[in-house]
């Protein structure tokens, strides 16, 4: 079939007709030859069987009387039948009685023994066996063998005749089909010519002539209809082309306008982004400045409140001083919360993950929070489960901040009952987490507000006459800090029955390599160290560079109470001059001062080779202030308001105590 794919329709039609005729004729001839072959076989079997029957009948007496010559005479009559090449009469015992061979036959044609009556074709011969029956008793057998060559010759002649008929019929079919195929191929070829002209000239007005109503006629109608539709579309395309330039110009103008608007939008977006960046920087700078401006007076308020608390006061005066000190501390906490939240929002809050003592952390929380709980008549307890490690890996400052926020809230919102801090270690997804659960019996949280309490400036009691107060930042900051530390903060609560806040953080260490927590022994050691180092006094000359009068008086009073001699410098210039001309054991350098600031003054002193220890004092509390001070040449760093314990730690680090000074003096005298 692939040979015909590339033929013309005319040749395909002729080939199909010829192939059909030839196959039909060959099939008919084959059937004829097969029928003739079957008839010839049947005639030969019948003819040979008739001769065998005649010989059997004629040889009855000869066999019965054992007259072999008479039997041979009977067999010689077979010479008249040229196709019989062998004949034999067998007696009942199977021995040959009389034999006949055609002149050109050989002795190998004789069967070895007679068979049952019947016939068979074998080796190009027809063999017929016929029984000799006398008085219903078989007394012998006749065997005749005929040559099949005459039958094959006749069959060959028939086959040649059939082939001749097929060839003549095929020739006739070719001649007839060559003329008749034009009825189909002619219209199709005409249609192809029309299609070629249309394709070359692009003239869709030409139509093909229809010559009949058969399938070819339907094809021509469909082709003409296609030309009509194409002509209509061509006309539409021409019309569209006439208006295309106008439409392109309009679209170009629209795109130009859209591009201009897009450029304007990009410019506005860039401007807004720049303004947002500037606003963020201004916000950070504003917070830094406000931190300084607020912390500076707060330093005076809290410092002088601490000094007044050490004086001989009446009960009412002591109560007033305590109120002032507590208000100042609460305001300082609020300032720290605002700064922390601003840094979290700006993604500038940095954490320092380090190994820290879990016992020290819990002891600090307990010592700080227990007095507040006892003051309200609440039971307070830090409960540790078995298997807690002595060390964990996290940011201890931020963890302590979260726990203080949560415990403070629990105490604030609980009027009676207890506040527990339950600590345990649990495994989650193959990793160990430490669980801090702050449990209280307070007012509880309605179910519809348990998600909103972690939002900024949101409280359970949001009315104007709030009973408990607060800024609404503590839980929001704690929630975000928990996420920054790789953990989570959740709450379970029922209104009127209390709450449980769960702070979950990664342990961060291999618990198997850690000793178990023994917090009570740790607390005893800590109290012993504190008692041992309580109330030190120092010897030495200290220069305080501070431009604010309140802070000057405060620092001078604090340092004199600790046994130190204090000199005041009101700006950076004066501080440099006094350090160069005087002899000081320690310099407390405020960072924000007129003329030259504390950092510039420190750089100037270090360039002069002055090695006196310099401790920076600043009201800035933003991340990085300590590193800037150290980089400028300071030895240490204290933030305002000044924490008395941190001040003691710094003085202990750089100045000798009076006990050490007396001991050194006695040694020198000796």
């Amino acid at each position: 079939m692939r040979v015909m794919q590339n033929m013309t329709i005319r040749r395909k039609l002729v080939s199909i007709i010829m192939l059909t005729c030839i196959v039909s004729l060959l099939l008919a001839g084959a059937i004829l030859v097969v029928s003739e072959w079957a008839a010839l076989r049947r005639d030969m079997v019948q003819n040979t069987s008739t001769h065998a029957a005649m010989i059997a009948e004629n040889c009855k007496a000869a066999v019965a009387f054992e007259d072999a010559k008479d039997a041979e005479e009977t067999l010689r009559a077979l010479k008249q039948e040229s196709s019989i090449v062998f004949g034999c009469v067998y007696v009942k015992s199977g021995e040959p009685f009389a034999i006949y061979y055609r002149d050109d036959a050989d002795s190998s044609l004789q069967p070895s023994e007679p068979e049952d009556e019947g016939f068979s074709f074998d080796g190009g011969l027809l063999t017929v066996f016929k029984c000799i029956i006398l008085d219903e008793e078989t007394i012998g057998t006749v065997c005749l063998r005929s040559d099949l060559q005459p039958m094959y010759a006749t069959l060959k002649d028939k086959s040649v005749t059939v082939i001749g008929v097929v060839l003549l019929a095929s020739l006739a079919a070719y001649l007839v089909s060559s003329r008749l195929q034009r009825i189909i191929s002619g219209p199709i070829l005409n249609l192809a010519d029309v299609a070629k002209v249309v394709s070359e000239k692009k003239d869709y007005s030409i139509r093909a002539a229809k010559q009949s109503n058969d399938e070819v006629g339907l094809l021509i109608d469909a082709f003409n209809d296609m030309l009509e539709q194409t002509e209509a579309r061509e006309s539409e395309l021409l019309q569209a082309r006439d208006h295309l330039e106008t439409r392109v110009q309009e679209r170009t103008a629209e795109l130009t306008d859209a591009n201009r608007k897009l450029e304007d939008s990009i410019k506005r977006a860039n401007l807004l982004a720049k303004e947002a960046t500037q606003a963020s920087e201004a916000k950070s700078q504003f917070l830094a400045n406000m931190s300084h401006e607020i912390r500076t007076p707060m330093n005076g308020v809290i410092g002088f409140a601490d000094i007044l608390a050490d004086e001989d006061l009446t009960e009412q005066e002591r109560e007033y001083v305590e109120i002032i000190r507590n208000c100042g501390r609460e305001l300082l906490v609020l300032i720290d919360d605002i700064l922390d939240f601003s840094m979290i929002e700006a993604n500038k809050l940095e954490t320092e993950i380090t190994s820290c003592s879990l016992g020290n952390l819990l002891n600090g929380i307990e010592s700080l929070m227990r007095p507040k709980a006892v003051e309200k008549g609440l039971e307070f307890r830090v409960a540790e489960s078995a298997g807690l490690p002595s060390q964990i890996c996290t940011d201890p400052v931020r963890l302590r901040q979260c726990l203080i926020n949560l415990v403070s809230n629990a105490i604030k919102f609980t009027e009676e009952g207890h506040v527990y801090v339950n600590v345990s270690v649990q495994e989650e997804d193959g990793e160990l987490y430490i669980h801090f659960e702050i449990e209280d019996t307070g007012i509880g949280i309605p179910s519809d507000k348990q998600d909103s309490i972690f939002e900024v400036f949101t409280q359970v009691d949001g009315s104007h006459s709030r009973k408990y107060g607060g800024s609404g930042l503590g839980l929001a900051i704690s929630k975000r800090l928990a996420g920054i530390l790789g953990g989570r903060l959740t709450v379970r609560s029922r209104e009127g029955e209390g709450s449980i806040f769960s702070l979950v953080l990664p342990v961060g260490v291999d618990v198997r390599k850690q000793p178990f927590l023994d917090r009570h022994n740790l607390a005893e050691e800590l109290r012993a160290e504190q008692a041992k180092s309580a109330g030190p006094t120092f010897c030495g000359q200290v220069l305080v560079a501070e431009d604010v009068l309140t802070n000057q008086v405060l620092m001078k009073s604090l340092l004199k109470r600790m046994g130190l001699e204090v000199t005041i410098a009101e700006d950076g210039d004066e501080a440099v001059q006094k350090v160069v001309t005087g002899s000081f054991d320690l310099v407390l350098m405020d960072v924000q001062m007129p003329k030259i600031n504390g950092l510039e003054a420190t750089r100037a002193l270090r360039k002069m080779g002055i090695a006196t220890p310099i401790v920076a004092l600043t009201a800035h509390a933003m991340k990085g202030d300590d590193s800037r001070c150290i980089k400028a040449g300071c030895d240490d760093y204290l933030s305002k308001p000044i924490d008395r314990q941190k001040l003691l730690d710094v003085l202990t680090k750089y100045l000798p105590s009076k006990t050490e000074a007396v001991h050194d003096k006695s040694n020198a005298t000796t």
Side-chain angles (χ1 to χ4, degrees), residues 5 17 63 71 102 154 161 185 197 217 233 240 395 410 421-422 458 463 474 480 490 539 541 571 608 621 647 657 664:
Q5 287 181 351
I17 295 171
V63 174
R102 198 175 64 180
T154 303
T161 302
S185 63
V197 171
R233 291 184 181 180
D395 187 327
V421 180
N422 303 313
T458 301
S463 62
R480 287 163 172 77
T490 57
C539 292
Q541 293 278 346
D571 56 52
M608 297 176 187
L647 178 61
S657 66
D664 293 342

Side-chain angles (χ1 to χ4, degrees), residues 187-416:
I188 295 176
L189 293 174
N190 291 335
L191 181 62
D193 292 338
V194 172
K196 185 176 181 181
V197 171
V198 171
S199 176
E200 292 176 352
K201 296 184 177 181
K202 308 297 181 184
D203 184 1
Y204 300 104
S205 62
I206 300 175
R207 298 291 182 268
K210 182 178 179 182
Q211 299 177 4
S212 61
N213 293 321
D214 56 3
E215 288 81 356
V216 178
L218 293 176
L219 176 62
I220 293 173
D221 287 339
F223 180 76
N224 290 334
D225 183 57
M226 181 186 68
L227 289 178
E228 290 179 2
Q229 295 182 17
T230 305
E231 185 179 11
R233 291 184 181 180
E234 182 73 10
S235 177
E236 293 176 359
L237 287 174
L238 291 175
Q239 293 177 1
R241 187 178 63 182
D242 294 338
H243 299 288
L244 181 60
E245 186 175 352
T246 303
R247 290 163 62 186
V248 169
Q249 291 176 352
E250 292 174 355
R251 290 294 179 88
T252 302
E254 292 175 0
L255 289 174
T256 302
D257 184 58
N259 287 335
R260 182 180 56 78
K261 291 180 179 179
L262 180 60
E263 291 176 358
D264 294 340
S265 298
I266 293 173
K267 290 180 180 178
R268 286 197 299 271
N270 291 335
L271 181 61
L272 290 174
K274 184 178 180 180
E275 291 176 353
T277 303
Q278 292 175 349
S280 177
E281 294 175 354
K283 176 183 175 182
S284 299
Q285 187 61 41
F286 171 76
L287 290 172
N289 293 336
M290 287 303 298
S291 170
H292 178 270
E293 296 301 327
I294 295 175
R295 284 173 180 270
T296 298
M298 285 305 301
N299 183 48
V301 172
I302 296 175
F304 280 111
D306 289 338
I307 292 175
L308 285 175
D310 295 336
E311 298 293 335
D312 186 15
L313 303 174
T314 65
E315 289 297 325
Q316 187 175 18
E317 290 171 341
R318 190 172 301 281
E319 181 181 355
Y320 291 163
V321 169
E322 189 64 26
I323 291 173
I324 292 172
R325 183 160 58 180
N326 289 339
C327 290
R329 288 173 179 171
E330 289 179 4
L331 183 57
L332 186 61
V333 170
L334 178 60
I335 294 170
D336 289 337
D337 284 346
I338 294 174
L339 287 173
D340 284 343
F341 185 76
S342 299
M343 286 189 287
I344 290 173
E345 275 196 329
N347 292 323
K348 292 184 178 180
L349 184 69
E350 297 180 6
T351 57
E352 184 177 355
I353 305 299
T354 183
S355 179
C356 59
S357 170
L358 180 58
N360 285 340
L361 177 68
L362 296 178
N363 285 333
I365 296 298
E366 186 174 28
S367 63
L368 181 65
M369 295 292 114
R370 181 182 292 278
K372 295 182 180 180
V374 172
E375 185 179 350
K376 291 188 69 174
L378 304 175
E379 179 186 358
F380 183 84
R381 184 174 68 214
V382 177
E384 312 97 35
S385 67
L388 286 174
S390 61
Q391 298 283 324
I392 61 174
C393 191
T394 186
D395 187 327
V397 175
R398 297 305 176 184
L399 174 55
R400 185 175 185 275
Q401 180 180 354
C402 291
L403 292 176
I404 289 175
N405 280 339
L406 296 174
V407 177
S408 297
N409 277 351
I411 295 173
K412 179 169 65 173
F413 290 104
T414 303
E415 298 298 333
E416 60 181 12

